[in-house]
Amino acid sequence: MSAIDIQAYLDTHLVLTQAITGLDEEQLKWKETEAKWSVTEVLSHLADHNIVVSFRIRDILADTKAQLPAFNQDLWVSGQHSNDGNAADILSVFWALLQYNGLLFGRLSEQDLDKTGINFKGETVRVRDIIQGFSRHVQHHVGQIDRIKAAYQAQSSVAQGGNV
């Protein structure tokens, strides 16, 4: 077993599920402005990020020495029409990737976890740091989901003539 917190990685699904509990379809797809993401778009971004991170880790483990790819998150979200997606479907894909990666992580040695690659910024990154960074990235976006929910509530109160 590797010395990383695989459970914290796997728990990101539960954290996201809890963050959206009770939201209806309107709330999941609501956008404060056209330039900002909806909750569904945040979830889609996190699934995409999971795909990219999965590739980056496997590329490092394969010792390809290629520069790790970047991705334009806004173009990915808009290009996929992410807001037309279904939150439950997105979370299912997210969970499947977590499980698959969790199995891989459990097979990695300390030496594997310390393997490095060069990210798109030219920085050296270790596998273990990518895994831990993913969990932090999800937490950051849970904060974004909370802000979207608060903005939705505020606009709903104003629309109903209430005070904010």
Side-chain angles (χ1 to χ4, degrees):
M1 184 79 155
S2 55
I4 55 169
D5 191 351
I6 296 172
Q7 192 59 50
Y9 173 82
L10 295 172
D11 286 347
T12 58
H13 180 267
L14 177 61
V15 168
L16 288 172
T17 301
Q18 289 173 338
I20 68 164
T21 295
L23 297 182
D24 62 25
E25 201 63 22
E26 178 183 335
Q27 292 166 308
L28 288 167
K29 297 190 180 289
W30 179 82
K31 295 169 65 134
E32 187 173 9
T33 69
E34 192 54 40
K36 292 189 178 185
W37 286 352
S38 68
V39 171
T40 299
E41 289 171 324
V42 172
L43 296 175
S44 181
H45 161 68
L46 289 170
D48 290 343
H49 190 257
N50 204 349
I51 292 167
V52 171
V53 164
S54 298
F55 176 84
R56 289 173 181 165
I57 288 169
R58 284 161 175 78
D59 209 47
I60 292 170
L61 293 172
D63 290 321
T64 65
K65 305 300 180 212
Q67 184 173 7
L68 302 173
F71 75 109
N72 186 316
Q73 62 187 22
D74 292 316
L75 292 177
W76 279 42
V77 165
S78 64
Q80 296 178 66
H81 308 282
S82 294
N83 210 32
D84 295 333
N86 175 280
D89 293 341
I90 296 165
L91 284 173
S92 291
V93 169
F94 185 83
W95 177 237
L97 286 167
L98 291 177
Q99 290 179 303
Y100 186 61
N101 287 336
L103 294 170
L104 167 63
F105 301 161
R107 297 189 302 264
L108 299 181
S109 67
E110 289 299 312
Q111 186 177 24
D112 292 327
L113 291 169
D114 285 330
K115 284 187 173 185
T116 62
I118 305 299
N119 70 14
F120 58 95
K121 298 176 188 174
E123 302 164 336
T124 300
V125 293
R126 297 181 305 170
V127 169
R128 76 173 65 247
D129 298 330
I130 294 171
I131 296 166
Q132 293 165 341
F134 179 84
S135 296
R136 286 191 306 273
H137 188 75
V138 170
Q139 289 299 329
H140 165 77
H141 284 292
V142 168
Q144 182 181 16
I145 290 169
D146 290 341
R147 289 186 298 275
I148 294 167
K149 291 187 317 190
Y152 178 86
Q153 285 303 113
Q155 73 85 30
S156 291
S157 293
V158 169
Q160 294 173 5
N163 294 326
V164 180

